[in-house]
Structures are given as structure tokens and as C-alpha cells.
Amino acid sequence: MPEPIRTILEKHSREPDELIPILQDVQKEYGYISAESVKGISKYLRISENTIYGVSSFYAQFRFTEPGRHSVKVCLGTACHVRGGATLLEMLERGLGVHCGETTEDKRFGLERVACLGCCALSPVVQIDKEIFSRMTVNRLTEQLKEYE
Amino acid sequence: MNKLKKKINLAKKKWEEFVDNREPIIYVGAASCGRAAGALDLLSDINRFIEESKVKAKVVEVGCIGPCYLEPLIDVKMPGEPRVSYNNVTAKTLQNILKAHFQEGIPFARAAIGHFGSDSYHGIPRFYDLPMLKPQVRIVLRNCGLINPEDIDQYLAVDGYQGLMKALQMSPDDVIGVVRQAGLRGRGGAGFPTFKKWTVCRNAPGEQKYLICNADEGDPGAFMNRSLIESDPHAVLEGMLIAAYAIGASKGIIYIRAEYPLAIERLKTAIAQMREYGLLGTKILGSNFSFDIKIKEGAGAFVCGEETALIGSIEGKRGMPKSRPPFPAISGLHGCPTIINNVESLGTLPNILRNGAEWYTKYGKEGNRGTKTFSLVGKIRRPGLIEVQLGTPLREIIFDIGGGVQKTFKAIQTGGPSGGCLSEEFLDLPVDYESLASVGSIMGSGGLIVMDEDTCIVDVAKYFLDFTQKESCGKCVPCRVGTRHMVELLDKITHGEGTPDDLLSLRTLGDTIKKGALCGLGQTAPNPVLTTLRYFRNEYLEHIKDQRCRATVCKDLIEYRVIKEKCTGCQSCVRVCPTGAITGPRSEPHNLDVTKCIKCRSCYEICRFDAIAGDAIVIRTAEKKS
Amino acid sequence: MTREKKLKVTIDSRELEVRPNTTILQAARESDVYIPSLCTLEHLPSYGACRLCIVEVDGLRGYPTSCTTPVEEGMVIRTDTSELRSLRQEILKLLLSEHPASCLFCEEHDECKEFQGTIRKVGVTTGCRYCPNDARCELQEITEKVGLTETSYPVYYRGFPVEKYDPFYDRDYNLCILCGRCVRVCNSVRLNGTLSFKQRGKLTTIGPAFDRTHLEAGCEFCGACVSVCPTGVLSTKVSKWYGKPDSQVATTCVYCPVGCRLELQLKNNEVIDALPDYDSPVDQGLLCVKGRFAIPEYILSPERLGTPSRLTPVGYEVISWDQAIDEAAGRLRGTKPEESLVVVSPQLSNEDLFVAQQFTRQVLGSDSMISSVMVDLGNDLVPFLELAAGGSTFDTIEGARGILTVGFDSTYGYSPVGTRIKKAAQEGALLVTLGACDSNLDMLSETAFQMDHSRWAEFLGVLADYQARGGGKGKLKARKEWTDDIERISRAFSDSSTNILVVGPEAIFSRARREVFEKARVLRDKLGWKIIIAHPYTNLLGMLAMGAFPGVKPGECLREGTSVTLSFPLIDLTKRKKVVYFIGEGRFDMLPDCDYLIYQNGLPPATSRQPDLILPASLFTESSGTTTNGEGRVLKIEKATEPFMDAKSDWWILSRIAEKMNKGKLKYKDVAGVQTVIKRQVKGFYDSRRRIGFARINAEETTKWLKGAPNQEWEGSGAGKNPSYRGIPLARVVAGMKVVDEWVNTSLLSEKEAR
């Protein structure tokens, strides 16, 4: 088992309740859930790899492929929808040449949608890495993306 | 308990010193929304200013006071002066504000929105007299934006944990009695009387009982819980202690969305402080009550707001709801009696315990006691977080508090994706559980989304259905398959390909899902469609019969045009058009080739953005298809 | 036990008394009230997903599902109101919009029925026959019962490719209605965790992690998912196009000593499938891959021997049974006792074994009778038999608090034992696995020890020492690297009231087995452990009881409370024999040089030594009898079909040869005749109320009795890893078993390389 995953596992007890917190930690560390991680978790928690995959694929948070260097999350909450969030997403899909949930070929951006970032009064919002940008427009977003390598 | 009392006295002294400040205090509204509006940049500007101009001042990060449309908000309180609030602060106005206060000794009245003093002050109105705040009754939100959420002493100073102390002096049954008398109903949506659920759990056999705080605020467009936790975490935690004591739980779990990192951080800080103060652990405040709290982050599944799915998720399973009975109050987490209360219900408890049931019943109306927080968003002038008495008419919320809509009011969606979409005729409907249910909507957790003439009702219905469809866990047939058919039909209609029969199918499907689905998510999923079919039937028919979307939203039913008279030929739109649909030499009106246009909106936005011609590009209803 | 007080409920205006602690659906079914339901199934936890079993209950909001709602005293339930009927129809319509339904609603349905026979196996594009489950589909049944005659919604054909790359069964998830039966049976009954729901909402699918095949995902191929699927998603490759079986016959599987009950499915006098019986006490329906999937292909193998034949210089010549009996009798008559050798299979029935030993002793006048178990175990046979005869029943696992397995893996065999162990571990028993490589039980074990075979006995020794000394007094004589672990484990086992040791094939076929057997005996005799020996010799205990070992008389080992010393006469395989007679055995590695070879079996051997006389034998589905399982239960084998072509039962062939050679002896006409004699000679053998009990075998016996045994392939040798029936590896005739074998071998190899 690679060291980091062992370190993650040892922070948790071996109860099945810890499955999702462990997956969250693994994703925080590696950016995604690899087959190898699933194997390690399976042995530790005594839950089959298939079950772990079944659980993790249920939740929108977990991904199974390597993420891009920057994550772009478009909020599609109601307020954002009413104020054009979907247009932003579409523009991004076209501009970056990927679908939602995918990573650009150069691994620069990973595009995702989120149900709601809770900043509805400032809609539409887009989150790039940890920063939330409010009252976004197609053109401002295009400019903003240029700042990321 | 005496130890805490000493701490409280100390805290109060500290607070008094804090309020009668000898040093200037600068408050920065730094909840998630404030941060998104740029509060953190302002914060560093303020620190730089203090350092450079060598003035003495305290900088305090506070939570959200509610009027999000004013973000970012900065308050300045000079010694002996009232606290002055500034709205929509930019880097430039910030400098002016700071200069005015620190160098000129007066407020920068031009940019101020309100002050917290009692008398008039430099022509600035009182903050609570602002039209958005005046009609509100702030019980749950009483501390939001006013105290430092990361400082337990400030919470103690404003009578924090008094409710708990009162509760611990009563028997658990008496605590339940108080809550019963107060008439508190679950603020998570269904409005089930809190005391009833508690009584079942209290009487259920079992050594181990759990209390879960449901902070999985999944409704898109709702952020009451996030704001409350970010701005006053101790209120929720105190509520948890009270609830746990009443039902006999020794373990508490806060199930919170991972999308709320700041709220999680603040909870963690608060929990650590509680431990330090003896408010968690064994024998809390010298009583026989022991309790501990764990935070579990959700992993992105709306359905986990449903009690049984939430429990499954905590147990490390797929968040798929289970049929009830058995109810969680009897057999919940790990098969033990479990109570799941919403953040707001818990945040209300300390107030009820502290002030008594009778005090609480002064608010609201028979059967719908107390207040409810709402996130008021959408096409409204003053979006934000508000708290009103139950029974307040929609009109008052939308027009008095929210300042009305910019264009013409069309509809309001209550209860998030599970709620209903109400038209103008219901503006005088009092907002209470029964009234909303009577018109096919629900209270929900408190999202209010206002729509104007630019919002297409069919599109909104499709949006909500698409949301629930994507969030359906897939377990039961009506929800998994039924919502899918509904989305397809709505999609057909927004493309101008619907038939009148589709409306009938939508009704039948909605009915089947409502009656047949396993859980609350499924059973309420058709509400947006069923209500809009009822109250906005004409708009559906327009899409179907005339292929017309009057809000110019449905892409297949609109087109973009250049108004030659207004176009200056600046070529901005030519540059942004991804398909080369717009052509034309500089300084001459451009041409837009409708067949190439993919309706991406870039030209429309750039035209307004550069503001040379202003609005030469328009979106309008397409010619009726032949 | 006090009698449960019945509850009074009203169902559809009928006042009924129902058992408490049941769901409304169970109560209704027990009272003959029909409520449609697709996702519910007996033995599976209720799920509440299909929503067809909705009812109305006074005092309960909405339409609760009867499969999840417990009955309560005084409940008033309505199951068939017009509201419910139309709601069910609507829900079923939705369900069917995810499931191609031309078999239900096609306009040409009636007209084309006659021609369907010819258009089977055609693809989706050409139409109707995409579903192998026609006429045995629960969805069809329910549609009729719910009264749905048309559907108004478009069908979402999901367009998944049919998954055919795994052995034994195909999967067409386009037909899946996500009722979750397969997921539940895999996880809650088999505790295997191969199948899981993946994704969510309309994207929900079923399968293993990532895009793994079932083989890669650790599937046991127990076929439980196939049996429970209400539609045609999962279908057995071999039998999928046979349609609905004509009848079924309950029998016992003879592939291993567990003795699982099988429901053989018959069509046109052929065995086409074998299903589990969840009510069987021995195996609880927990069949392994062999019983579930490896029977029809073996029985119906194109290689089956169908007529007696004789080797001539120009090849085999088909002869009649009379000629064959004459030939065999003639050869045997002129042979001295020491010049002949009889080889019997441990997979024969008790009756066949009894007749075989009678034949050897009374007709040939010899005692030179060997079997694979003797050759495989060699001079370790006696201690092995001692343990096997003193083993515990499988249900002791259920009450065990501590379980230690040594070299045991139940992925492809011994599933009823393995699954019970898993269940016990899941319910809190301490499980420790000891092996040279990964085991499927590691998943649920407290600690999985991996070490070379040579150290297993030492490990057991330390454990026994610790316990014998009553815990921590004195220094633990263990290797440094395990002191912590073994101390913890030893303490846990010492504290446990009931411990079980399961010795698996890896241990039985390891070089260090003798020491392992010895330590196992210490644990059992000194410390009260229960032992289960998971060996592959199906009717081993029957052989002991019937006296199918040289030097062991029928019934001799069955005197409980006495002790018996097994002394085998010297058998020398290096000496050339005149005649060797293989009865139901196909392993030629134990064949000594001989002048004349009689081969009596169902399938030809894979060897260059051609038998001189071939006698086609019927297999266990073709003749009746009994077998003795590893617990000592005598279980019935039921004849399901007529034998293949001219094949005959082993006892019949032996009797006829005996008659010919020695008038008057072994004149058996039927199995009952054999059983009468057994009853006389082996007292209490057929007493079905109890297991047969054995005398204590003196295990100190160490005489070397075998000379010239074939070379053993140690470490994962043939008998354990590559299962066979009557000496023919299942992988040779069952396509899927070949895939499984290859998988086991390659994964073993890669594991070895990784180490």
C-alpha cells in the first residue's frame, strides 16, 4: 500500500461508517479515487471493492479519473439558473472542448457542475479552485480563465 | 455550572468592553457570500491601511446579517460612536470610508447604508429601519452579523447557553413539554411537530440514541442553514444539546454539505471551544447529561436530505431512502432510535428555552408559531436572508422586504425543487404550512425564488424536474422513470414540439409519482410541474400551439437580431461570435446570420458590456414555424 | 417455545389471524391474498422499490408498500381498490418503459407465436426473441395479473451491449428493472459483494467495481443472482434457450463432500440446469459454481461413453453388454488375486462402493483396492482419515465465537462452509485466516496471516500452547515477527467459548500436512476445538463405512465409542499387474503397468494408455443411491433421467460380471437390493434421523503401506485446485470451469511473482 493512503486509513477506525470520510480524505489527497485506493480501503474496512465503488459512484463528489490542475465548477442552483448559469456552462463546454465532468486534454481544467454553492444572491456564480466568482458573465469568465495555467 | 457562570460573567465584561470600545472596530461580513463578493480582498486592504497609517483598530470577521444584495458589507465602529454599515464596498470606497473615519473623524455618509445607534446620525438611517429589515422578526438570526462567530465568549455574552442551562434544570419530559407548548414544527420542510417526534424517540427502547443535525441544505437557491452556521454556530450547537437532553441521546452528528467549507470550519472551531468550556463530553455543566458531537460531511447527493437516506449515508452506504415504518425515531442510525432535526429547528430551541414557550407563541399564528427564515433570491431587488413570522403574506415578503422585482412579477417558487410555483393571484397568501399546502406547494426548508417576465415558466419547471431527476437515487420506479418521462415531455415542449396531450400525460405522471414514490423527494418532485400546469397553463399552451416563449428563454423558440439603427459597427460582437454568424465591416451595422447563430449569448452580453451602442443586439421570439 | 400469539387484521374486509413479526405482504400471501410484487423475494431483505405491492392501510398516510410494512394488531388493509389497481397499472407502465416489452404488447403477438420456434436467438434489431426468459418471466406474469394490456410511454432502450465475456451466464442489462434482487442475494445471502448498484438515478446500473468482469471482481459464480432475477437479464449460457423446464428432481450434488441439495431442471429427459434449495439444512441453498453450473455440460458432454467397446489392433470395436461382460469376466477369471488391482472413485455412491468392495473381496478374492484419496495422502492417510471422520457438522460454525481457517478458500468450492464462516464473522465471531496466498475470507477476517506452508503447523502449535497454558504466563515461544499478533489472536481464541478450525485443501495438499493434522488433533482433543476438514473426496466417509479401503471391512469403522486401527496391506504400484479395473475413476497417474485395463466410467480418460475394455457407466443424475457427506449424513441421490445411451450403473455392471464369473454371487437387480444387504452388514447406516458416527481411528499408525505412488505436485496440487468428477477434471468438459481454472492458475502465478 502506498504510504499516503496508509496514513489516511490510520486516521480512521475500521467501522463501515468511516467509508465516506475516508473516500473524502483520499480524494482530497489525490484528487480522485483510484482503483488502488479502493483496494486499500477495501482491505482496511472489510468491505468489498465492488461495494465501495457502488457507494462512491452514488455521490456526486467522487471522481475516478485524474482531475485537471484547476477545477471549474459552475453553479446550477435555481437562482443561478434563472440568471444564466446554464449558458455559462454551455459556453465553457464549448470553449474548453469538454463535457461536464471531464478534464481538458492538457489537464488544465476539469469542468464540473454543482447543485448550489449557496451564494444565490450573487448569482450566477462560478467556482475556480477555491475562489468563488459572483455575478459572472460569459465574457468575464472567458477573461478570468486566461489567468490560470 | 458555576464554572460556566464565571465564564459568562467574564465574557459579559469582555463584551461590554468590546461594545464600549476604546479602540475602533472594523467589522467585515465574511460569510461565504461576502467572500464571494470580495470581502477577503477588502480585509487585506483594511489590514494594510491599519499598518500603513499606524492607527489602532480591531478587525473582526462577522457572519452574514442578511441583505446579500449589499455585499460586501463593512461596518466601522469608532469609540463612543454608533456602528455604521457600508454596502457594496469597493476597494476605492473603502479607502474613502477609512479616511473619513480615521482621519476626518466622521462617517463617510454618502456610502453608508445604516447605523446601529438609536438616534439619527449624520443623516444616515438606522439599519433596522431599512425597508428590508423593518418587517423582519429576528429570533433565529438574532446574532447573525453582530457577533464574531468564532468567539464563544461573544455568544455567551449575548445570553448564549442560557437556554441549555434552563433545560438542564428541568426534566427531559418538561423540556419536551416546553417545546410542545411553543408549538415548534420541524423547519426542514414537512412541519411535523417537533415534540411528537421527540416523544416517540424518548419512549423508544434502547440504550443508545442519536441526535442528528441535518445541515445537508440541498435545495438549490436556499442558504439559510449555511448562513446561520457560518454566522452563529453556537446557536445550532446549543440547540443540539437541548434536543439531545430531551430525547436522551448521547451522541450527536452534524451531517453537513461538503460544499460549505466555511460552515464546517466554524463548526469545528465552535465544537473545540465547547469542549474547552465543558459544554461537551461527560457530565455537562455538572449534570448527568453526557453528549458528544461529530461532524460528517455529505458527499453530494440531494436525496440525503431525506432522513433514511441521510442515515444510510452516515452508515457508509449509498444514500437510498428506505420505506417507513419503521421510523428513525424508533429504528434509525445503526438500528437505534434517532432524531433528525433541521438546523433552523435546532437554532430556534435556545430561544424558546431561554425566553419560554409563551414568549415564542407571541409570534406567528395558531398552529404556525414562531418565525421562519427564508433565502429570498431570484429576480428581486433586495435578495438576501430574511426571517419573518409565520403567516406573513407573500406580498409583504416580496415587495416590502425584497423591494419588489425590477420588471413585472410573474411567479414565486416556494420550497425549492419540491415546492410549487405560485402566480400573482396568491400574493396575499399567508406563508404557513397549511396555506402553502392548500395551493399545491410546500414550505420546504425556506427557499423563495422570485421570477419575473424574463423567466420562462416551462423552462423553470423543466429545470426543477431535471434537478430532481438527476438527484433521484434510482431506487423506486415512479421517481426514477416517471421524472425522466416528465423531463422529456417538458423538453419537447420547450423545443416547440409539444402536443396538448403532453399536458395530460404530465398530469398523470405527476399524480403517479406523487402517490407512488418511496420517499419525500419523489413524492414532491412533480410539484413544480403540477402547480405551473395549474397556474400558468397558458404559457404551456403558447409553447405548444404558437411555438412561442414569451420570456425569450427557450432557445429553439427565439432568435437574435441586430438592430441596424442602434449598431455602431464596433465589431466587438464579431470578435466574440464563436461561429462567425455576425459579419460586417467596422463602423457599419453588422449582419447576423440566423442560420449560423447558436444562441450562445456572447454577442448580446458584449454589446451591453462595452456599452457603446448599448443594446443593438436583441433577443426576441422567433417567427412562428410554418 | 411459547407459541406466538396471532394478530387479528382485516384484509379486504376479511378478518384474518396472522403471524406476528411479518410484513403485510407475507401475511397476505399466507392467507392466500394476492398482491403483485417484483422486488420482494423470500430469503431476501425487503426493499420496497418496485412499488407494485402498495396497499391502503387505515391510519397510514399514502400508499405504503406491503413488503416493508409490518402487520400490527387491528390493522385494516385494502389490497385491491380501484385506486390501487390504476396506480399499479401506471407504475407498471413506467417500469415497462425501461424494459423492452414486445413480448407483452406486440400486435403480432398471437400471430407469430407459432413461428417463434424458428426465430430464436436473433438479435435485438430483428425483433422479438431478445429475451431467453420468455414464458418463465415474472414480469410477464405480473403484467397479466395487474391487467395491463398496453403501454403509453416510449421505451428507453438503454443500448447496453450484452455482457458475454464471463463464464456460465450472460447479462443483458437492457432488460433490467433494477429490482435489486441480485444485489441483495449477492450481498446479504452470499455475502460476496460482487454486485453493487453503481451511479444513481436513471444512470443506475448493476455490476462490479469500475468496469471489471465478474471474474476479476471476485465473483464466485454461485449463480444466486441468476436464480433470483425476475426477468431475462441474467441467463445461464448452457440452458438459456431451452425455455421453461418440464419438471424438476431433487437430488444431492456429488462433486464434493458438502452434499448440497440440487433441484435438477429437466427438459426433454435432459438435465439442463441445477438450482439451489434455500430450505436445505445442509447447504442452505448456498451452492458453489460446480453444483450450480458444472452439471449439465458434464452429463451431456459430447465425449460421453455410450456403448461398451473393445480395443482391437485397428481401433475400438463396439460390442454388446453381453460380449463386454463375457470379456471382462474371462480376463478376471484367470487372474490371481495379487495380479489384479481395483481402483475406485471416492465420488461413487455408497451402494456402488459397497458392491465394488464386495466384488474385489468376494469375486476377485483380493484386497488390493485403491483410490485417489489413498494415493494423494500416501502415508499421511490415517491421520487424515482420523480427522475427517471426527469432523464437526457445518452448522457448528453458526454458533462459533472463534474461527481459524488454514489454507481454505471458498470462492469456487465449499461455499456453504465459507459463506457460513463469513456470516459468523459478520455477526461478530472472531475470524482469522492463515494461508500462503489470498483467500476470499480475508475480507472479513480480523487478521489474515500469510506465510509459507512450512510454518503453519508452528503457528497452530504456538496457538495451542498459549491456550493450554491458560494465557500469558511464561514466554511465548513464537517467532519474533508474529509475537504481537499471535499473542493478541491467541488471547482472543482463549476467551472464546467455541472455536472452529477449518483445514482447507491448501493445507491437505501441502508438504507439511502431517504436522498440521497433528496440531489440529491437539486443538480438538486437548482444547475442545471443533474441526472441519474441507477435502475434495466426496464420499470419503462412505468409503470408510462401506469398507472401500483395503483392510477395512464394511461397518468396521462405524462402532462409535470404540477405537479402530487401520492397517492397510502393502500395495506396490511399481509391480506390473495383469488386470487393472478402474471403477468410476479417470485419473491415470495411479495406473501401474498392466497387461489389460478395464475402464468403467462416463467419460474417456485423457491418456495415451488406451483401455482394453471400455464399460460406459451412468452418472449420478442417471441412477439412484445415496452418498455420505462430510458431516456423516447419508443423503439421497435421485435418478433424474434415463442413462446416456447404453450406459449402466456401476453396481449393475459389477453384479453382472460377478454373476458371470462366480455363479450366485452379487445377484443385485436394483439399488434397493444392494441397500438391503448394506442394512444387514452396516447397522444403522440408513437411519436418516442421525448422522453416522465413527469409531476413533488410531492415528498413531505409521506403517508405510504404499510403494510407487505418483509424484505429488505440492503446493496447490491438482486435487484441491482443479476440481474433477470421477477423475475427469471439470475444466475438460465444462467450458466455464476451464475459464475459472485458468483464472485461478494465472492469479496464483501473478501472486507468486508479486511475492
Side-chain angles (χ1 to χ4, degrees), chain B residues 34 149 339 352 392 473 478 493 574 583:
Chain B
I339 284 294
I352 294 177
T392 308
C473 78
I493 296 171
V574 177
T583 50

Side-chain angles (χ1 to χ4, degrees), chain C residues 3 28 61 76 107 134 227 341 395 558 594 672:
Chain C
R3 277 185 59 198
R61 212 158 41 107
V76 178
E107 283 174 14
D134 194 30
S227 317
L341 177 72
D395 53 18
L558 287 188
C594 68

Side-chain angles (χ1 to χ4, degrees), chain B residues 300-301 318 320 323 325 469-478 480-481 484-485 488 509 512 515-518, chain C residues 47-49 51 63 65 68 83 87 90-91 94-95 97-98 153-154 156 177-178 197-202:
Chain B
R318 292 166 60 86
M320 300 203 286
S323 299
Q469 183 224 197
K470 286 195 171 110
E471 294 296 336
S472 163
C473 78
K475 181 174 176 175
C476 80
V477 175
R480 179 183 74 238
V481 194
R484 188 171 170 178
H485 283 296
E488 302 262 317
L509 279 165
T512 308
K515 288 179 185 157
L518 195 162
Chain C
Y47 187 56
R51 316 304 293 170
Y63 302 90
T65 39
T68 58
E83 175 73 34
L87 196 49
E90 282 301 320
I91 291 168
L94 290 176
L95 194 146
S97 75
E98 272 191 335
Y153 300 113
Y156 295 120
I177 55 167
L178 296 169
F197 286 112
K198 303 193 283 189
Q199 317 295 339
R200 70 170 179 225
K202 65 174 182 185

